[in-house]
Amino acid sequence: MLGEIQMDRMRKRMICLRLILVTLYCIVTIYLAWVASQHPELAQTGADQCSYTCQAGTAYGTIYDRNGEPLVNGQVVCTAVVNPTADAVAALLPHVLDVDTFYENVETGRPFVCQTDTMDIDCADVVMLKIPKRYTEPQLAQHLIGYMSEGKGVSGLEYAYDAVLRETQSRWEVTFAVDGTGGVLAGENVLVHYGANPTQGIITTLDSTIQRICESAGAQLEKGCVVVMDVQSGDILGLASFPAYSADNLEEALEDPDSPMINRAFYAYPVGSIFKLVTAACAKEQGIANTFQWTCDGDISISGQRFRCHDLTGHGKQNMAQAMRNSCNPFFIALSTQLDGEALLSTAKSLGFGEETALTATMTASSGTLPSLQQLGYPAERANFCFGQGILTATPIQITRMTCAIAGDGSLPMVRLVRGVTENGRTVLRETETIRETGISEETAAFLRNLMCYTAADPDFQGRPSRLSMGAKTSTAQTGRFDASGEEYCHGWVTAFFPANAPRYAVTVLAEDGGYGNTVASPILRQIASAIMRMES
């Protein structure tokens, strides 16, 4: 009897224990389910312990030229995703671009990515992919394109349109099945995710052919830049700054004393004799351009300060056209004494001097500097100003824009670098409009055009190709800086439009610290104009 009672108690205890265990199991299960719902990455971590994914590459939105030619993502890179077996190493080693890094990755024993010089790799442990390369070497229009770092735009168009370009992220991935030590499981399927070269992005105003012409012709510049604009629209067709830099060697560029990362087309420099066009415009609008004459005997004194002509023997008696061709400083200094200072300053502003040039929300060319009206009240300061020296500075962008106004109807085009965004690389969505602002009168523009054409027809001018008419003006701008031998550094300039009878292109070349405009900048203009006209023929 006693034994039966003890057995009954034992059964009841076992039933209670089972109920407790079942209850605990249910509680734990419910808790784990709740944790998983609140932290899904934990569930993914468990799954990832059985696989390993190699990120082979990512392509972002594309930057195009005006004709839909990609300026980035235009080439592909042969990319190998490697399970580092002996067979894979043997197949890849003759074709790997970076052998040292390849060996380092092999030693880890885990799958990795490397670049090769061919797609023709026949090995089961290697997955070959064609992935768009963001930048070429050298990169076309590097100073305008800018560069990325860690998946974000840092400078140039990459930075200005970061949100648009990074909105599209196309990825190439390869996933391997692995064991607990991270080793790839033999015989298991490899999952490959193929990305696609994005068509979405932005369309610029650049013409790739003209951009290549600028970079090729301007390569002889140690420091300087080239700008080509469409006369009617103000679109930048080509812009190159020198020296160039590579996005793959930024540290080297930062240490270079010639500052290659500076976009010199956006920086302000002393202008020199190109500014005589502004002085001539003011004289035209004040009604004295056609009648004013001056006899140059080699120098002129203003308030006790002596200004020399580059021709120490003098140019003799000259009218406006002759003085512009001869680039005679005393003529224009004498002319400035007949001009109202306020009118002279107003004419400069009407041709874009002293005004920033905004190309994007984050890319703006300098405003340069203009003297104040009070400063122009000093005769010597006005004398310097009238032939482009003294306080005056301007950017190559501003000079080219002024040339567009002279070559057109006198109005200033809004400078444009980006036409708009695109989904397919061909159609522009919400294209920015081309706008022209009031500049000088059409009559004054025609007068300046004739002066520039007469100047470019000078047999000594080195910027005009044979059988091409153009208008042009050179400058040799003093800097006030001297080399070890006492020679002054001068900026060589030339600005021009062509063809003369129906201008389509405005070009400016700056040779920073390069010397005389006609000998260092004009030959580059000649190469550019010749190449552009050959392109059109």
Side-chain angles (χ1 to χ4, degrees), residues 277 280-281 351 406 440 443-453:
L277 293 166
L351 283 167
I406 294 171
I440 55 177
E443 182 183 1
T444 299
F447 174 73
L448 297 179
R449 223 167 25 248
N450 289 334
L451 289 179
M452 292 180 73
C453 289

Side-chain angles (χ1 to χ4, degrees), residues 24-316:
L24 289 173
Y25 174 79
C26 292
I27 291 172
V28 171
T29 302
I30 292 170
Y31 175 75
L32 290 176
W34 177 82
V35 169
S37 68
Q38 299 299 309
H39 303 279
E41 70 275 9
L42 297 178
Q44 183 61 43
T45 300
D48 289 346
Q49 291 175 350
C50 300
S51 65
Y52 182 80
T53 298
C54 280
Q55 302 285 345
T58 303
Y60 300 98
T62 301
I63 302 172
Y64 297 92
D65 83 343
R66 66 190 303 108
N67 303 309
E69 179 178 331
L71 297 172
V72 298
N73 295 342
Q75 298 180 359
V76 295
V77 179
C78 299
T79 303
V81 183
V82 189
N83 173 21
T85 63
D87 290 343
V89 172
L92 284 168
L93 198 53
H95 303 286
V96 171
L97 299 184
D98 186 345
V99 176
D100 292 339
T101 302
F102 177 76
Y103 277 125
E104 291 175 6
N105 287 326
V106 168
E107 290 176 359
T108 68
R110 297 177 67 84
F112 64 91
V113 177
C114 66
Q115 293 181 4
T116 66
D117 60 10
T118 180
M119 289 293 294
D120 189 18
I121 304 293
D122 185 14
C123 179
D125 294 316
V126 178
V127 177
M128 294 301 302
L129 301 170
K130 288 184 178 181
I131 300 176
K133 186 178 182 181
R134 189 67 181 174
Y135 307 121
T136 57
E137 187 62 42
Q139 170 60 46
L140 197 65
Q142 177 72 76
H143 286 88
L144 294 175
I145 297 297
Y147 61 92
M148 293 171 52
S149 178
E150 299 180 353
K152 293 183 179 180
V154 175
S155 71
L157 291 171
E158 291 280 26
Y159 177 69
Y161 286 86
D162 184 73
V164 173
L165 297 172
R166 252 51 74 188
E167 183 179 11
T168 300
Q169 298 188 23
S170 185
R171 301 182 185 278
W172 284 256
E173 300 175 340
V174 178
T175 301
F176 298 88
V178 297
D179 58 23
T181 65
V184 175
L185 295 174
E188 296 293 331
N189 290 332
V190 174
L191 180 63
V192 181
H193 175 76
Y194 294 92
N197 198 342
T199 58
Q200 300 94 326
I202 61 172
I203 294 182
T204 69
T205 62
L206 297 173
D207 183 301
S208 292
T209 302
I210 292 177
Q211 181 66 30
R212 291 187 182 95
I213 289 170
C214 291
E215 295 189 12
S216 175
Q220 58 195 284
L221 292 170
E222 290 187 18
K223 293 183 291 183
C225 69
V226 175
V227 181
V228 179
M229 281 186 196
D230 182 295
V231 163
Q232 297 305 317
S233 66
D235 284 357
I236 295 177
L237 303 176
L239 187 154
S241 181
F242 305 94
Y245 75 93
S246 168
D248 294 331
N249 294 291
L250 294 178
E251 185 175 348
E252 177 182 325
L254 288 169
E255 294 175 353
D256 191 324
D258 286 337
S259 304
M261 295 184 72
I262 290 177
N263 188 340
R264 285 170 160 81
F266 291 4
Y267 275 68
Y269 296 85
V271 174
S273 293
I274 286 174
F275 193 77
K276 291 170 182 172
L277 293 166
V278 178
T279 306
C282 184
K284 176 65 176 174
E285 297 194 342
Q286 289 199 348
I288 64 172
N290 294 325
T291 57
F292 184 82
Q293 294 187 341
W294 181 260
T295 300
C296 171
D297 58 10
D299 62 20
I300 186 172
S301 292
I302 299 292
S303 297
Q305 183 170 340
R306 191 179 185 190
F307 294 87
R308 294 184 179 277
C309 183
H310 65 86
D311 185 341
L312 298 181
T313 62
H315 292 108

Side-chain angles (χ1 to χ4, degrees), residues 272-426:
S273 293
I274 286 174
F275 193 77
K276 291 170 182 172
L277 293 166
V278 178
T279 306
C282 184
K284 176 65 176 174
E285 297 194 342
Q286 289 199 348
I288 64 172
N290 294 325
T291 57
F292 184 82
Q293 294 187 341
W294 181 260
T295 300
C296 171
D297 58 10
D299 62 20
I300 186 172
S301 292
I302 299 292
S303 297
Q305 183 170 340
R306 191 179 185 190
F307 294 87
R308 294 184 179 277
C309 183
H310 65 86
D311 185 341
L312 298 181
T313 62
H315 292 108
K317 189 175 183 179
Q318 303 169 100
N319 59 23
M320 179 75 75
Q322 292 166 330
M324 189 68 74
R325 174 182 280 191
N326 293 328
S327 202
C328 177
N329 289 347
F331 177 96
F332 285 93
I333 292 171
L335 177 61
S336 73
T337 65
Q338 307 300 307
L339 300 176
D340 177 71
E342 186 173 358
L344 187 56
L345 190 60
S346 176
T347 303
K349 291 178 179 178
S350 70
L351 283 167
F353 290 87
E355 177 185 334
E356 287 187 342
T357 309
L359 303 178
T360 71
T362 61
M363 297 173 69
T364 301
S366 170
S367 63
T369 53
L370 283 172
S372 67
L373 185 58
Q374 181 181 1
Q375 289 169 322
L376 287 183
Y378 299 103
E381 188 59 51
R382 186 185 299 188
N384 271 315
F385 184 57
C386 77
F387 66 98
Q389 292 291 164
I391 294 170
L392 174 73
T393 62
T395 68
I397 290 280
Q398 288 172 311
I399 297 299
T400 315
R401 189 183 185 215
M402 177 191 72
T403 302
C404 287
I406 294 171
D409 61 4
S411 61
L412 283 169
M414 179 189 74
V415 180
R416 195 171 66 151
L417 177 60
V418 177
R419 293 178 58 196
V421 299
T422 183
E423 292 181 350
N424 56 18
R426 299 182 303 276

